[in-house]
Amino acid sequence: MKVLVIGSGGREHTLAWKIKQSPHLTKLYCAPGNAGTVGLAENVNIGGSDLDGLVRFAHSEGIDLTVVGPEAPLVDGIVDRFKEEGLRIVGPSAKAAQLEGSKVFTKDFMKARGIPSAEYQVYSDAEDAVSDLKAGRFKFPTVVKADGLAAGKGVFICQDLEEALDAVNAVMTARQFGSSGDRIVIEEFLVGEETSFMVFTDGTNLIPMVPSQDHKAAYDGDTGPNTGGMGAYSVDFLLSQELRDQIMDQIMRPTVEGMKEMGYPFEGVLYAGLMLTKEGPKVLEFNVRFGDPETQVILPRLKSDLLANFDAMADGDLSGHQVEWHSDAAVCIVIASEGYPGSYPKGHEISGMAMAEEDPGTIVFHAGTDLKEGKTVTSGGRVLGVTSLAPNLQAAIMRAYEAVNKIHFDGMYYRKDIAAKGLRKLTKD
Ligand code: AMP
Ligand code: GLY
């Protein structure tokens, strides 16, 4: 099978790395890919927003299956477009991708279907939101969310009225995220532990993946600004079998069934960002694709052939398919450029990656990297994701940090406490 992976981050390097292991693969392409995918695939210089270019390329190269990493092309309708062209692709249609593309759609959908989530109110007029906030309708902290995609920056946890008014103003009046701020959701602040839970689905059948946890804040102790994710870990004890069954029965299956009943069948990877509250798991958000950096800890634990799985999904027939997982714990530490998630320099040479990978339990996934005159240089905010596997979480953490210590580029920073929460959970339970 000739396969095309769309995207250029750590998630896409991981997808390429795993697909490369499939006996069904004949040739792999990444559009546009990064310096890490160069050794695995042929990088093609076409961006994810260039749907015409991608369709032309898939036709001309005779691509048998396309896999989409990021959300933007999905929300823009890449799957609909490829299918119209008779091209095989894995992922949700634009209608189904509203689960990530519109908070309002998703909140209304969950309410109608009885899927547990925070209480909320939708506003399409800033004045109404301001007057409800001033009238004391919401308890603090409260959460203000832009309706549409905002590159992970459209969510504001507001401690008091002033912060909430500022958030409404930034999103709806100053239009920090353009038309994503046409509407907002104001919702109840949920308390608990956050967990990421993903499933493969063909629109009818679901296969759960192992659980993982992201670290969104930039600095240790969950302080500093929110980022795309500074690290992740995956270990079986994160969720008991009972909780996994509850998440499947109360959240994942009703969502896939509900979307099908609405006429928007969801095919692809469905990701639920969950808060494990005292009343049970509640949905913070859905993503319509693999998480980044969650993928960097989930796919190294996948024993089965990912490409065979994608192939079955593209045929709409996951029934009878099963996936197997390694019992090892996995930890991924993201190394970022100084300044991220704000502006950051580019073009710094990276050294020590080969040494870091001498340990057979460690893989260095590239995110914002590029090749310049034969050298690997930084080209993004999140530069690398260093993943280590080990029989237990503590050993995986040690391995990952040992590997990180061998890597260097000017201005690099990373969190020192990735997966520390997991260790605390282990001693608490
Ligand atoms: P989202 O993009 O909706 O996942 O929000 C980004 C982050 O904001 C989440 O990962 C949570 O840490 C936090 N968050 C979002 N909604 C809530 C909520 N209702 N209560 C508490 N934290 C939230
Ligand atoms: N790591 C969170 C996300 O992929 O959206």
Side-chain angles (χ1 to χ4, degrees), residues 193 233 235 237-238 393-394 397 419-429:
E193 186 87 19
Y233 66 101
V235 64
F237 69 71
L238 250 178
L393 185 61
Q394 191 150 23
I397 295 172
K421 257 188 227 166
L423 285 185
R424 283 200 295 275
K425 190 173 160 58
L426 201 55
T427 47
K428 220 170 42 193
D429 287 354

Side-chain angles (χ1 to χ4, degrees), residues 11 71 100 152 196 198 213-216 227-232 271 285-287 289-295 382:
R11 165 184 48 210
E71 62 277 15
E100 179 165 2
S196 307
M198 297 189 263
Q213 195 172 52
D214 186 12
H215 297 64
K216 290 211 163 90
T227 69
M230 291 297 292
Y271 165 130
E285 62 165 345
F286 282 117
N287 292 324
R289 36 97 192 154
F290 278 104
D292 187 341
E294 288 91 332
T295 306
R382 291 192 288 175

Side-chain angles (χ1 to χ4, degrees), residues 26-45:
T26 52
K27 176 127 200 205
L28 184 59
Y29 299 88
C30 278
N34 58 32
T37 60
V38 167
L40 301 168
E42 185 177 324
N43 280 0
V44 194
N45 194 16

